[in-house]
Amino acid sequence: MRKDGMTYILALDQGTTSSRAILFDEKARVLGCAQQEFEQIFPKSGWVEHNPAQIWSTQIDCARRVLQQAGVSASEVAGIGITNQRETTVVWNRKTGEPIYNAIVWQDRRTAALCDKLRERGHAAAVADATGLVIDSYFSATKLAWVLNNVPGARAQAERGELAFGTIDTWLIWNLTKGAAHLTDASNASRTMLYNIHTHAWDDELLALFDIPRYVLPSVVDTSGFMAVSSADALGAPIPIAAAAGDQQAATFGQTCFSAGEAKNTYGTGCFMLLNTGHDAVRSHNRLLTTVGWRIAGQTHYMLEGSVFMGGAVVQWLRDGLGLIQSSAEVEALAGSVPSTDGVTLVPAFAGLGAPHWDPYARGTLVGMTRGSTKAHIARAALESIALQTVDLVQAMQRDGAKPLTELRVDGGASNNNLLMQIQADLLGVPVVRPTVTETTALGAAYLAGLAVGVYESQASLLEKWQVDARFEPTMNMDERGALLDRWHRAIERSKGWADA
């Protein structure tokens, strides 16, 4: 229970390109935010890594800075809520706390060939039945197996119980508690390809399939509830760690999509659309994922999810890879300077294609250019590619029996791009609704933690806090929409299998 005067919730939002900390009060108002980018490591083509020590140092520094900025002491914070980039895999020595290898990021494709072999051997159905996932290098299991098989001495250490595995939530909790707690929540566990979402336990058959010793795995706890207490050294006083959730599940909670049939789309590094299916784990027949949304008081809410690997990262590529813009904010004006792409289509398969295609060998493709094509056309095609990938997800969900969308709630950094949101509404043919707080990932973590420690009364009370900032109505006619989608799907086919050719 909350003590008098402890009315603050600290959300730690550890993302793919940056770490952030946001402080919320009892009315869910933002009192301060601190953010730091960290290094992206690309050792080989298709490989993506992070330095785990850098993840921890940037995250704890942000937490300390936001408390200092707000003039709030750690003793006034009722709870910590953690949300994190999912699937990214860290393995460390239990005694020293030192990682034995860099974090292998969710975007990493080094285990694509292993996944091919597992599918060829007929394991896809069993994996999907237990986990709700497709066999893909996106998830943690093959990343963990790669570390154990490729880092000298790792497997022997793991067999002796000397190593710990975790997704980023687990890594942060370990460091916050100085190694006292080796935990993950059900939402993150459901992204490892090792967790049975029906029995709510690590699956023995999957551990055998991927050759993973049980000793390395964390305990799985509820998404919202008392988990552990941070050490006094971390932030100046011990604070209850009261929630952990994968970033997309946290964003869904932050959008207050508490009921079956409600959906949101987050425009971050990737794009992630989640549809709440209630207490039913709906099996997709259109290559979407069935995943745990959250588990509270032992009750699980499930989601259908479509994952797009390259969302806002496409704009980063325009900035850093091509140098077409100096800052990401410039893309809206550049893309808006032309009325259309004039036939230019970009498929941003830089890390393969996610749902519903699941092709790790697809590669980025830019087609339809003429001598008249300009950087403005490419910029507009980049924004269209983000929206078009989302349309593919919506159509797959509807083929799985989901009711037609009446509106799409959006969040994430790129949702502040008004042109992108208008393009999205036009291509979906339904209104796109942006809330006043678009950083719903951190907000969801704060809600989950605040409910656990009594800062927020109930889920019903949180519904009242959700407010509309902007609503984008579709204006494109059906013929134009159909032609654009047809051109997009032809370009998609040209991108597939490229790295395997």
Side-chain angles (χ1 to χ4, degrees):
M1 291 298 291
R2 172 167 66 103
K3 296 179 182 179
D4 289 342
M6 297 174 65
T7 56
Y8 304 105
I9 295 293
L10 178 61
L12 305 183
D13 183 359
Q14 205 299 300
T16 306
T17 58
S18 68
S19 297
R20 295 189 310 151
I22 301 180
L23 189 68
F24 294 88
D25 67 9
E26 73 280 0
K27 295 183 179 179
R29 294 176 299 198
V30 174
L31 300 184
C33 177
Q35 181 170 355
Q36 284 188 42
E37 291 191 2
F38 53 86
E39 184 183 8
Q40 307 294 303
I41 304 167
F42 307 102
K44 296 181 182 180
S45 176
W47 291 31
V48 189
E49 298 178 0
H50 292 157
N51 181 335
Q54 202 174 68
I55 286 176
W56 166 242
S57 64
T58 56
Q59 186 64 80
I60 195 63
D61 184 58
C62 286
R64 290 166 177 162
R65 281 199 290 127
V66 79
L67 292 177
Q68 185 177 29
Q69 290 169 8
V72 171
S73 70
S75 61
E76 296 176 279
V77 178
I80 295 172
I82 295 171
T83 183
N84 54 281
Q85 54 166 313
R86 303 174 302 172
E87 299 95 17
T88 296
T89 296
V90 187
V91 182
W92 63 94
N93 184 293
R94 288 182 180 275
K95 186 174 181 179
T96 67
E98 293 295 317
I100 66 168
Y101 189 79
N102 275 340
I104 302 181
V105 181
W106 57 273
Q107 298 162 316
D108 190 281
R109 313 308 289 168
R110 76 186 65 187
T111 62
L114 172 59
C115 292
D116 289 344
K117 290 179 182 177
L118 291 168
R119 285 191 295 270
E120 289 166 5
R121 292 170 184 168
H123 296 296
V127 170
D129 287 344
T131 69
L133 309 176
V134 299
I135 295 178
D136 193 83
S137 55
Y138 176 30
F139 306 107
S140 309
T142 56
K143 302 179 194 301
L144 173 54
W146 187 94
V147 171
L148 296 181
N149 292 331
N150 288 275
V151 175
R155 181 161 292 282
Q157 286 180 286
E159 296 288 358
R160 293 195 299 266
E162 296 171 3
L163 299 183
F165 151 76
T167 43
I168 296 301
D169 57 314
T170 305
W171 173 240
L172 294 180
I173 292 170
W174 176 278
N175 282 283
L176 282 167
T177 63
K178 286 191 167 181
H182 185 209
L183 304 172
T184 191
D185 92 292
S187 73
N188 277 295
S190 74
R191 310 297 296 189
T192 61
M193 210 157 55
L194 297 170
Y195 183 76
N196 190 308
I197 62 174
H198 310 290
T199 64
H200 310 291
W202 300 116
D203 191 284
D204 287 330
E205 292 185 7
L206 294 176
L207 295 180
L209 176 64
F210 294 104
D211 197 15
I212 304 299
R214 180 176 286 273
Y215 319 113
V216 304
L217 301 174
S219 300
V220 182
V221 299
D222 282 356
T223 305
S224 174
F226 177 80
M227 296 180 174
V229 177
S230 69
S231 73
D233 292 345
L235 293 166
I239 304 173
I241 300 171
D247 51 10
Q248 301 315 314
Q249 289 95 328
T252 308
F253 203 87
Q255 284 275 35
T256 67
C257 294
F258 300 148
S259 300
E262 295 179 328
K264 70 87 201 175
N265 195 35
T266 294
Y267 300 80
T269 301
C271 280
F272 301 89
M273 186 170 178
L274 272 73
L275 173 71
N276 190 328
T277 61
H279 297 300
D280 296 324
V282 175
R283 176 73 179 270
S284 174
H285 299 286
N286 290 279
R287 311 198 78 195
L288 299 176
L289 308 176
T290 305
T291 196
V292 172
W294 47 79
R295 194 174 79 196
I296 301 175
Q299 296 295 309
T300 301
H301 267 259
Y302 294 95
M303 307 279 151
L304 266 181
E305 176 177 333
S307 307
V308 167
F309 297 153
M310 288 288 153
V314 182
V315 178
Q316 290 178 324
W317 175 69
L318 294 180
R319 181 192 68 188
D320 302 335
L322 297 187
L324 298 187
I325 51 177
Q326 296 301 308
S327 70
S328 296
E330 294 175 17
V331 72
E332 185 171 358
L334 179 60
S337 67
V338 291
S340 74
T341 68
D342 196 25
V344 176
T345 301
L346 170 65
V347 180
F350 304 122
L353 287 170
H357 309 286
W358 296 109
D359 183 353
Y361 303 107
R363 287 297 179 264
T365 306
L366 187 61
V367 297
M369 290 183 293
T370 67
R371 283 291 299 272
S373 299
T374 68
K375 64 180 183 179
H377 294 114
I378 295 173
R380 193 175 185 101
L383 294 187
E384 280 191 359
S385 76
I386 299 171
L388 285 160
Q389 290 177 100
T390 300
V391 173
D392 284 348
L393 300 182
V394 171
Q395 291 179 342
M397 286 182 177
Q398 290 177 349
R399 289 194 297 271
D400 273 334
K403 294 179 181 178
L405 281 183
T406 55
E407 66 178 28
L408 180 66
R409 292 187 176 187
V410 299
D411 54 61
S415 69
N416 292 305
N417 184 316
N418 289 336
L419 177 58
L420 172 59
M421 293 300 97
Q422 185 58 55
I423 291 171
Q424 187 69 84
D426 286 341
L427 291 173
L428 279 175
V430 300
V432 167
V433 184
R434 184 174 65 206
T436 53
V437 178
T438 57
E439 298 300 346
T440 52
T441 302
L443 182 63
Y447 281 169
L448 287 161
L451 288 170
V453 297
V455 170
Y456 307 129
E457 292 180 9
S458 64
Q459 290 186 25
S461 72
L462 299 178
L463 290 170
E464 301 169 2
K465 301 181 188 301
W466 192 88
Q467 294 180 324
V468 174
D469 169 62
R471 185 178 179 90
F472 300 87
E473 299 286 346
T475 58
M476 183 179 288
N477 66 56
M478 290 184 64
D479 289 342
E480 186 180 356
R481 182 185 304 133
L484 213 159
L485 288 170
D486 178 66
R487 189 173 71 209
W488 164 251
H489 290 132
R490 286 189 289 128
I492 282 276
E493 290 306 312
R494 284 160 172 78
S495 77
K496 288 182 176 179
W498 186 264
D500 199 32

